[in-house]
């Protein structure tokens, strides 16, 4: 069993927790890089959430504006 198969098995049935993990990891990466790659991180988060499925509807950007 590959690592990807193991991850899919862990995520199955827990999409909300997986989505929270994706958001938290992206936010941590943004904090470490000073939001230098924020648009790329947001795109990656969206793609991962699409793969997880059952994505709740979002209004707007989903993140407060950075100052």
């Amino acid at each position: 069993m590959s690592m990807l198969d193991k991850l899919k098995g862990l995520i199955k049935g827990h999409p909300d927790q997986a989505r929270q993990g994706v958001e938290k990891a992206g936010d941590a990466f943004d904090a470490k890089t000073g939001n230098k790659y924020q648009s790329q991180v947001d795109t990656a988060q969206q793609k991962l959430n699409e793969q997880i499925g059952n994505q709740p509807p979002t209004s707007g950007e989903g993140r407060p504006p950075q100052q």
Side-chain angles (χ1 to χ4, degrees), residues 26 29-45 63:
F29 188 85
D30 279 340
K32 289 282 185 180
T33 60
N35 293 323
K36 184 175 180 179
Y37 304 103
Q38 184 175 6
S39 64
Q40 291 91 336
V41 170
D42 289 343
T43 301
Q45 287 174 316
R63 262 189 212 201

Side-chain angles (χ1 to χ4, degrees), residues 17-64:
Q17 290 175 331
R19 198 170 296 105
Q20 287 175 354
V22 168
E23 289 296 319
K24 193 172 188 178
D27 292 345
F29 188 85
D30 279 340
K32 289 282 185 180
T33 60
N35 293 323
K36 184 175 180 179
Y37 304 103
Q38 184 175 6
S39 64
Q40 291 91 336
V41 170
D42 289 343
T43 301
Q45 287 174 316
Q46 289 173 349
K47 297 283 184 186
L48 286 168
N49 284 330
E50 288 171 7
Q51 291 296 315
I52 292 169
N54 299 326
Q55 189 172 358
T58 58
S59 59
E61 180 67 25
R63 262 189 212 201

